[in-house]
Amino acid sequence: TLRVIPSAARIIEAPALKICAKSGKSAPLDALAECAVSQKRVLRHLLFKSAASERYALPEHIVSCAVSGQRVLETEVERSDVTGNLVRRSLLKASTLSGRKAESDRVGQCAFTGATGLLSELATSEVSGKLYRLDQKAESEISGKSGHQSEFIKCAVTGRILHSSEAERCAFSGKVVAPDVLVKCSLS
């Protein structure tokens, strides 16, 4: 509160003054606020409000989120490991395979294990059309088709990897084998 006697040009009561760390101007204490990033006390009107947290900061500490377009504090964003863009932390998804983070449109889920991975860590199965983890890739030695390891079997005789649709069952032993292993015999 400011109280003056105009006729005497005298100040009876004046608010406490403090220097603005940005402008260097003296201002009443209640006209200043703290920047959430630098912790400097500055004139309130110099601060911008974050759309993410409603905290206030100086303009040099405000950035735009590449996904939402919102203006947020530089401490509320992280660089995407895929695009390099600054993105609000809450909008990034982490790969359970590598720990790397990216925008949600750059991340997928393995249909076989449920693991979340960057699209570069996943592939589409040529057998089922489902996404699978590349670190669990298998490939048929018969057709060359690739997919998740759980989509394939081993030939009981040769140990070769093949898809179950490419295998045949021996009528005599009941074992699942590659078709080129079977021969006609008098017993079956």
Side-chain angles (χ1 to χ4, degrees), residues 82 104-109 117-123 131 134:
V82 173
S104 59
D105 64 339
R106 308 288 179 139
V107 176
Q109 187 172 32
L118 302 180
L119 293 181
S120 61
E121 300 168 334
L122 302 170
L131 280 180
L134 276 173

Side-chain angles (χ1 to χ4, degrees), residues 19-27 32 41-43 45-46 58:
I19 302 292
C20 168
K22 179 79 172 167
S23 69
K25 294 180 182 176
S26 186
L32 300 174
R41 293 202 62 81
V42 297
L43 290 167
H45 74 274
L46 297 177
L58 289 164

Side-chain angles (χ1 to χ4, degrees), residues 112 125-128 138-155 160-168 176-179:
F112 302 93
S125 169
E126 294 175 308
V127 176
S128 64
E139 190 172 311
S140 167
E141 294 179 45
I142 305 291
S143 66
K145 289 184 178 181
S146 62
H148 187 263
Q149 61 192 15
S150 67
E151 297 180 284
F152 295 88
I153 58 171
K154 278 188 177 183
C155 172
R160 289 187 296 170
I161 304 291
L162 62 152
H163 186 258
S164 59
S165 67
E166 301 167 336
E168 293 186 21
V176 178
V177 297

Side-chain angles (χ1 to χ4, degrees), residues 89-103:
R89 280 191 185 90
S90 62
L91 299 178
L92 287 173
K93 283 191 164 186
S95 164
T96 55
L97 305 176
S98 65
R100 296 172 62 210
K101 296 177 184 175
E103 297 86 337

